[in-house]
Amino acid sequence: MAYPDDLLSDGERVVTHKHPHFKMLVVPIVVLLVVLAGGGWLAVLAGDVDPPWDLVALIAIGAVGLLLVVWLFLVPFVRWRTTHFIVTTDRVIAREGVLKRTGIDIPMARINSVRFEHGLLDRVFGCGTLIIESASDEPLTFDDIPSVERVHTMIYRQVNDNPYDDYGYAEPDPTEQLPHGGQEPPPSTQGRGR
C-alpha cells in the first residue's frame, strides 16, 4: 500500500515505504496452524460424544478456536499491516495502530545520526533495528525493519543530500565541466608585475 500523496508536502516524494519484516508473523502463523490442527483433532474426538453433547462440544471448540485465532493471529497480522515506516526526501515517518493510531515525523534536518543493529537471526531474515538520533530527543528505535542496511544508507544519503554518493550514480566527469575540452585555461597575465 503506497503512502498517500496528499499527506506529503509540495515537492516531497517517498524514497522507501516498509512494513515491519514478515518475521514478526512467524509465531502467529505457527499458532494459527496449531489452533486449526488442534481444533480439527478435538472436533473428531467430539464426534464420539453422545448427542446433544456432541453439538455443544463442537460449538465450544469452534468458539475457543475462533477466539484464539482472532487474539493470537488476526490482531498481530492487523498490527503488522497497519505499521508503516516511510522515508521521504524531507522526513522519516512512522505510523502504527488501528483503533489508537500513533505516529512520529522526524525532519531530515534534525537527524544527527542513524545506525542499525542486527543479530544472527536478523541477518538470516534480512532485517534489523534502526536507531535514529535527532537534535534534542532520545534515540528512536524501530524494530524489524526489512533491508535495514539499505534503509540506513537511504536515510544517510537524504540527510547529507549528496546525489553522487548513491549507488548506481556515476561521479561527474571533471573533463566535461572544464572549458577548453578538459584543459585548464591558460594562466592569466593580469595582475602580474612587469
Side-chain angles (χ1 to χ4, degrees), residues 136-182:
S136 62
D137 299 323
E138 291 292 319
L140 297 169
T141 303
F142 302 97
D143 295 322
D144 296 325
I145 301 294
S147 307
V148 69
E149 290 183 52
R150 191 171 304 149
V151 173
H152 167 267
T153 303
M154 287 178 188
I155 294 172
Y156 175 80
R157 289 179 180 151
Q158 291 301 319
V159 168
N160 288 315
D161 200 30
N162 183 0
Y164 297 112
D165 67 357
D166 289 347
Y167 178 78
Y169 281 96
E171 284 287 334
D173 186 2
T175 59
E176 292 177 6
Q177 295 178 350
L178 295 175
H180 309 294

Side-chain angles (χ1 to χ4, degrees), residues 186-194:
S188 174
T189 57
Q190 293 178 352
R192 292 188 181 178
R194 292 186 181 188

Side-chain angles (χ1 to χ4, degrees), residues 8-51:
L8 300 175
S9 305
D10 291 337
E12 183 179 19
R13 66 179 178 79
V14 173
V15 176
T16 188
H17 178 190
K18 306 260 184 197
H19 292 286
H21 193 272
F22 191 76
K23 86 167 191 175
M24 75 181 288
L25 293 178
V26 170
V27 171
I29 288 173
V30 169
V31 167
L32 174 68
L33 295 175
V34 168
V35 167
L36 292 177
W41 180 71
L42 289 174
V44 168
L45 291 179
D48 294 338
V49 177
D50 294 330

Side-chain angles (χ1 to χ4, degrees), residues 56-187:
V56 172
L58 287 176
I59 291 172
I61 291 167
V64 170
L66 182 63
L67 180 68
L68 289 174
V69 166
V70 167
W71 181 40
L72 298 175
F73 173 74
L74 196 57
V75 169
F77 178 78
V78 171
R79 186 178 304 127
W80 171 79
R81 190 71 182 116
T82 59
T83 300
H84 302 271
F85 183 82
I86 303 122
V87 178
T88 72
T89 52
D90 297 343
R91 58 191 164 148
V92 173
I93 304 166
R95 300 281 188 269
E96 67 180 57
V98 180
L99 301 177
K100 179 185 175 192
R101 192 105 172 112
T102 60
I104 186 167
D105 293 10
I106 308 166
M108 289 293 177
R110 291 189 49 117
I111 294 176
N112 288 338
S113 69
V114 58
R115 63 188 171 99
F116 68 90
E117 298 173 352
H118 53 158
L120 182 60
L121 188 61
D122 287 338
R123 292 177 76 183
V124 168
F125 280 110
C127 64
T129 300
L130 191 68
I131 300 144
I132 298 175
E133 295 181 26
S134 61
S136 62
D137 299 323
E138 291 292 319
L140 297 169
T141 303
F142 302 97
D143 295 322
D144 296 325
I145 301 294
S147 307
V148 69
E149 290 183 52
R150 191 171 304 149
V151 173
H152 167 267
T153 303
M154 287 178 188
I155 294 172
Y156 175 80
R157 289 179 180 151
Q158 291 301 319
V159 168
N160 288 315
D161 200 30
N162 183 0
Y164 297 112
D165 67 357
D166 289 347
Y167 178 78
Y169 281 96
E171 284 287 334
D173 186 2
T175 59
E176 292 177 6
Q177 295 178 350
L178 295 175
H180 309 294
Q183 305 277 329
E184 289 290 331

